[in-house]
Amino acid sequence: MHKEHILTKNQQIIFDLIDKSPEPLKAYSILFNVQKRGIKAPLQVYRALDKLVEIGKIHKIESRNAFIACHNSSCQVAKATAFSICEICEKVTEISSAGLSKYLANFKDKDGMKYSKYNLEFFGLCKKCNTR
Amino acid sequence: MHKEHILTKNQQIIFDLIDKSPEPLKAYSILFNVQKRGIKAPLQVYRALDKLVEIGKIHKIESRNAFIACHNSSCQVAKATAFSICEICEKVTEISSAGLSKYLANFKDKDGMKYSKYNLEFFGLCKKCNTR
DNA sequence: TATATTAATGTTATATTATTACACAGTGTT
DNA sequence: AACACTGTGTAATAATATAACATTAATATA
Ligand SMILES: [Zn+2]
Ligand SMILES: [Zn+2]
Ligand SMILES: [Zn+2]
Ligand SMILES: [Zn+2]
């Protein structure tokens, strides 16, 4: 298992917001939403985001510059992430597939370079968007 | 096979620069480098980059906001990209593995969502950085 | 040829995303 | 106390990307 991290005030405020959001949130949208809670500057948001990413409570969706809470039991795979992204409605889902993570964890390229981390983003249409 | 795209002047200038660079280039570094060739504004760069990405001549490294030329015979896999990224020297290599692309092209998640595109970024230490 | 259409360009301004720099406060260790 | 470490607050600025609008070039098709 993994260590429980005690979040600081700013980290907790920002994590709560992301965690209850149905969609990935962008840094400045987070900032706007937490200003009433005393977080006034971008840097306060980015610092919390950095930490939350580091400890695996959230992930960054690189192609969208947005952040999503991890729901893979918080998160043994902070260093091995996969997402599906709908190109119409922008719905993002974290993929949790033992087969996929095993395949990628063991993947070695020609040079024999061993990887400590990966991020995979799939794009397509979600079921809803595909059928209309 | 795939259609050869005839590049416009701006596209050609910017592609040439990226193509001869040993490392991924960022948009504003490109802008700086092509100003002597008459490209003056960010938008001119971004438009060319967008097009070059679209036709598969270059790829965007999302985690680095940088662009690299495709060397997979230009590029049948614009929609199926994989890279290895060294976290020390920032060397980026496009991975060309039939096994990997086959595995990912056929991957389906629980929802049965079918993907039209993916991007995978592996992180680790390149051979050089690993042995010092 | 004329003309409609599409794709690319040039330019200015602006929006969005992210970091630098510096001062300070709390916590634990020596 | 002195030190290291982590987090905070604030202002300024850097880096990345797009909107809006006018113009020109290339392509299609009538
Ligand atoms: Zn996760
Ligand atoms: Zn959708
Ligand atoms: Zn390629
Ligand atoms: Zn390296």
Side-chain angles (χ1 to χ4, degrees), chain B residues 84-97:
Chain B
S84 76
I85 303 171
C86 175
E87 291 186 296
I88 291 182
C89 72
E90 293 292 326
K91 176 178 157 66
V92 173
T93 310
E94 185 167 1
I95 294 172
S96 173
S97 157

Side-chain angles (χ1 to χ4, degrees), chain A residues 27-99:
Chain A
Y28 276 72
S29 135
I30 292 167
L31 175 58
F32 179 79
N33 272 282
V34 297
Q35 273 175 334
K36 50 183 162 307
R37 307 207 51 191
I39 294 173
K40 291 173 187 160
L43 190 48
Q44 294 173 290
V45 173
Y46 280 104
R47 284 197 282 225
L49 290 173
D50 286 351
K51 191 65 183 183
L52 291 167
V53 166
E54 185 194 324
I55 65 182
K57 301 280 287 181
I58 66 174
H59 304 302
K60 182 173 186 181
I61 311 300
E62 291 287 356
S63 66
R64 299 299 186 259
N65 298 319
F67 299 85
I68 192 176
C70 177
H71 295 298
N72 285 342
S73 61
S74 178
C75 177
Q76 282 136 315
V77 289
K79 306 201 156 177
T81 49
F83 304 94
S84 76
I85 303 171
C86 175
E87 290 185 297
I88 291 182
C89 72
E90 292 291 327
K91 178 179 156 67
V92 173
T93 310
E94 184 166 3
I95 294 171
S96 173
S97 157

Side-chain angles (χ1 to χ4, degrees), chain B residues 7 9 24 26-27 32 42 44 57 62 78 90-91 95 129:
Chain B
L7 301 183
K9 181 167 145 282
K26 299 183 149 237
F32 179 80
Q44 294 174 291
K57 300 280 288 182
E62 291 287 355
E90 293 292 326
K91 176 178 157 66
I95 294 172
C129 292

